[in-house]
């Protein structure tokens, strides 16, 4: 049940690459292969391509739709290809957590462009853009906002960068997906059942205690990792992170738990899950 995340600017050849991957893996007998298309999500939303990148609400809606559709298709017998710009590293990290939770392998295909290719695409857009479609101004804004995938980022690995006119390393992509073991889900991405009536109260109290422990350690000048005895591990959060920032991450964690119907009713496990969540999300993740 591998997942291929395609990322790149508009007009960089993403859909052509997706179709090439679909053909290659179908012929290898790795099907069924499903392409989850950002363009289809935009069409179903009823807005134009330009609005989908300039209206924050619409953009979030389309990203959520793309991710949700991919999540539903991830099974033991399918290969899913996410064909979209996927230009925000935080969004790619969410997808990475999704594939870890599904216990599947994943790789990233970056459809890159040289400066010359980018300029040529801009000229094509100027010549052909119509109302509601991508225009040169929006394309330029996306070029500035685009967060390129990096081989040093665990959520982008393994990374395969391909420029227009180049051939994809299809055999290497296949090896990365089918000859490697999937990353095991960590505590912060696992879902467990929510049932105890006092669970949310205990959850709130337990996570607040951990924030207080970190704040107390910083007050006495401890800049390194903070030992959290009830979690059996250390909180490795940046020393310059304020209590307000820590509490923002705490609220994100609480919301995560409340939005999932499968989070542990065993309150003793919560400290470790929360500390792992902090370690993951306060260090560039």
């Amino acid at each position: 049940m591998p997942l291929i995340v395609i990322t790149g600017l508009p007009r960089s050849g993403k859909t052509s690459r997706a179709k090439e991957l679909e053909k290659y893996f179908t012929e290898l007998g790795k099907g069924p292969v499903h392409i989850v298309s950002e363009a289809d999500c935009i069409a179903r939303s009823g807005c134009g391509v330009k609005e989908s990148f300039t209206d924050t609400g619409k953009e979030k809606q389309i990203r959520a739709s793309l991710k949700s559709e991919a999540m539903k298709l991830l099974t033991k017998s399918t290969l899913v290809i996410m064909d979209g710009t996927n230009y925000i590293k935080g969004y790619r990290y969410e997808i990475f957590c999704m594939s870890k939770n599904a216990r599947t392998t994943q790789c990233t295909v970056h459809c890159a462009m040289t400066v010359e290719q980018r300029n040529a695409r801009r000229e094509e857009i100027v010549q052909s853009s119509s109302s509601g479609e991508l225009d040169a101004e929006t394309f330029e804004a996306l070029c500035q906002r685009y967060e390129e995938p990096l081989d040093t980022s665990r959520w982008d690995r393994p990374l395969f960068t391909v420029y227009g006119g180049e051939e994809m390393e299809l055999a290497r992509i296949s090896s990365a997906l089918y000859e490697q073991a999937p990353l095991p889900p960590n505590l912060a991405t696992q879902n467990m059942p929510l049932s105890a009536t006092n669970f949310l109260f205990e959850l709130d109290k337990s996570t607040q205690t951990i924030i207080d422990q970190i704040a107390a350690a910083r007050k006495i000048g401890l800049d390194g990792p903070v030992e959290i005895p009830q979690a059996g591990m250390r909180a490795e959060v940046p020393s310059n992170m304020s209590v307000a920032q820590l509490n923002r991450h705490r609220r994100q964690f609480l919301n995560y738990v409340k939005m999932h119907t499968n989070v542990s009713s065993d309150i003793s496990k919560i400290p470790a899950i929360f500390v792992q969540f902090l370690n993951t999300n306060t260090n560039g993740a």
Side-chain angles (χ1 to χ4, degrees), residues 17-34:
R17 298 297 186 181
K19 290 178 179 177
E20 184 181 349
L21 287 163
E22 179 186 34
K23 181 175 183 291
Y24 175 78
F25 283 108
T26 299
E27 290 176 351
L28 274 185
K30 301 295 186 182
V33 181
H34 296 285

Side-chain angles (χ1 to χ4, degrees), residues 3 98 154 217:
L3 175 67
M98 177 184 77
R154 65 188 184 281

Side-chain angles (χ1 to χ4, degrees), residues 44-149:
R44 286 196 298 269
S45 74
C47 67
V49 176
K50 178 181 177 180
E51 187 181 2
S52 72
F53 289 116
T54 55
D55 184 311
T56 304
K58 290 286 187 185
E59 187 175 14
K60 287 182 179 178
Q61 176 188 331
I62 289 160
R63 285 204 302 268
S65 176
L66 189 71
K67 180 182 169 185
S68 175
E69 189 172 340
M71 188 183 298
K72 285 186 286 188
L73 289 169
L74 278 176
T75 70
K76 291 183 178 180
S77 60
T78 60
L79 167 64
V80 179
I81 302 170
M82 290 185 71
D83 171 20
T85 50
N86 299 319
Y87 71 95
I88 300 171
K89 66 179 181 181
Y91 179 64
R92 294 197 301 271
Y93 174 72
E94 289 178 19
I95 297 168
F96 168 76
C97 290
M98 177 184 77
S99 63
K100 281 189 73 176
N101 193 40
R103 301 175 190 240
T104 182
T105 53
Q106 176 186 321
C107 74
T108 304
V109 174
H110 177 204
C111 296
M113 290 192 286
T114 64
V115 174
E116 292 77 12
Q117 288 170 338
R118 188 179 294 183
N119 290 337
R121 298 297 180 274
R122 188 184 294 105
E123 287 303 313
E124 290 173 7
I125 291 167
V126 170
Q127 298 295 325
S128 63
S129 65
S130 57
S131 177
E133 295 303 308
L134 186 70
D135 58 18
E137 183 180 353
T138 304
F139 178 77
E140 190 58 42
L142 282 170
C143 291
Q144 298 299 319
R145 286 155 52 193
Y146 186 70
E147 297 175 329
E148 289 195 2

